[in-house]
Amino acid sequence: MSNSLREKLLGLGFKAPEPEPRRPAKTERPAGGPDKDRPAGARHGGPGKPGGGGKPRPQGERRPGGGKPGAGKPGQGAPRKPRTAEEIDLAKAYAIRAQREKEERIEAERLRQEEAARRRAAKARCAELIKDQVLNDPAAELVRHFEYGGKIKRIYVNPDQLKALNAGALAVVQLDGCYLLVTAALAGEVGELLPSLVALKVDPNAPAGDDPYADPQYQVPDDLVW
């Protein structure tokens, strides 16, 4: 606008427009962000503001009204119902029975171990008695069957041994899975120590029908598996 036009307008009562203030030039912010230079409390908000830095709560402290029901003050929650006399007597009876059963198991185990030790000692003694007293004939061809342990067993004997065995003069004892021919007197000693080792001992006074395999004429073919 020229000065002459401006003067005419001022003369007519118009005011000249005031120049706009200049805006300050923008400055770059530090790399740390806008909150770098603020105090720690100012960056996260003052007290009372969400996420603010009010007074820190001690670790492990529960908020009022929080936590499990009845865990606040002592005595809160449902009181435990006292046991009746009948319940107490029943609990005592169960405890007494459990103790008795435990003692019975211990006693049974003790007796089992004692019996096992006795059998081992008796078996060792029988082995000493039978040693060098076995009468088995390697050349024997006759088969004498007998029942032992619920099964039919057999032993090879010669004709004279078969007669003596059926007459009760000889007997058979079992030791470590082997069937050994011994005298009846020796078998009697073994039976006193450990009766279960005596596999065959014929009673000469017993009826013949008690031992169906005692008859010398009764022979089972060797190819028949018992």
Side-chain angles (χ1 to χ4, degrees):
M1 182 181 296
S2 62
N3 292 335
S4 59
L5 181 57
R6 182 179 180 183
E7 290 176 356
K8 290 179 180 180
L9 291 175
L10 289 176
L12 294 175
F14 290 97
K15 294 183 179 181
E18 297 180 358
E20 295 182 359
R22 293 184 60 186
R23 295 182 179 180
K26 293 183 179 180
T27 58
E28 295 184 359
R29 295 182 179 179
D35 297 336
K36 181 176 180 182
D37 297 332
R38 294 185 182 180
R43 288 200 302 268
H44 301 287
K49 295 183 180 180
K55 183 178 180 181
R57 187 180 300 279
Q59 185 177 1
E61 180 181 348
R62 297 181 181 271
R63 295 179 178 272
K68 298 181 180 180
K73 299 180 181 179
Q76 289 184 349
R80 184 176 181 181
K81 184 179 179 180
R83 295 193 298 177
T84 63
E86 182 180 357
E87 292 176 341
I88 295 174
D89 293 341
L90 187 61
K92 289 181 179 179
Y94 281 139
I96 293 173
R97 187 178 69 176
Q99 180 64 24
R100 185 179 302 148
E101 291 176 351
K102 179 180 178 181
E103 293 174 356
E104 291 175 355
R105 289 194 301 269
I106 294 175
E107 179 65 14
E109 179 64 18
R110 184 186 67 82
L111 294 176
R112 188 190 67 80
Q113 292 180 1
E114 288 183 357
E115 177 63 17
R118 188 194 69 80
R119 290 180 62 86
R120 286 194 298 269
K123 186 177 179 181
R125 176 59 180 162
C126 292
E128 289 293 329
L129 290 174
I130 298 173
K131 186 179 180 181
D132 300 330
Q133 302 293 328
V134 179
L135 303 177
N136 292 60
D137 184 2
E141 296 181 353
L142 297 178
V143 178
R144 175 59 160 93
H145 291 88
F146 56 93
E147 183 179 357
Y148 177 69
K151 297 181 180 180
I152 302 301
K153 304 297 182 179
R154 65 183 178 181
I155 187 173
Y156 285 91
V157 295
N158 56 42
D160 293 337
Q161 290 175 337
L162 181 60
K163 293 179 181 179
L165 189 60
N166 292 334
L170 296 179
V172 179
V173 296
Q174 183 273 134
L175 187 65
D176 296 331
C178 298
Y179 297 97
L180 309 175
L181 190 66
V182 298
T183 62
L186 184 56
E189 296 182 29
V190 171
E192 292 178 359
L193 293 172
L194 204 57
S196 61
L197 295 184
V198 179
L200 175 63
K201 189 173 186 296
V202 177
D203 183 2
N205 300 322
D210 291 350
D211 185 4
Y213 304 104
D215 189 352
Q217 302 300 324
Y218 184 81
Q219 291 293 320
V220 177
D222 293 342
D223 58 349
L224 180 61
V225 178
W226 291 84

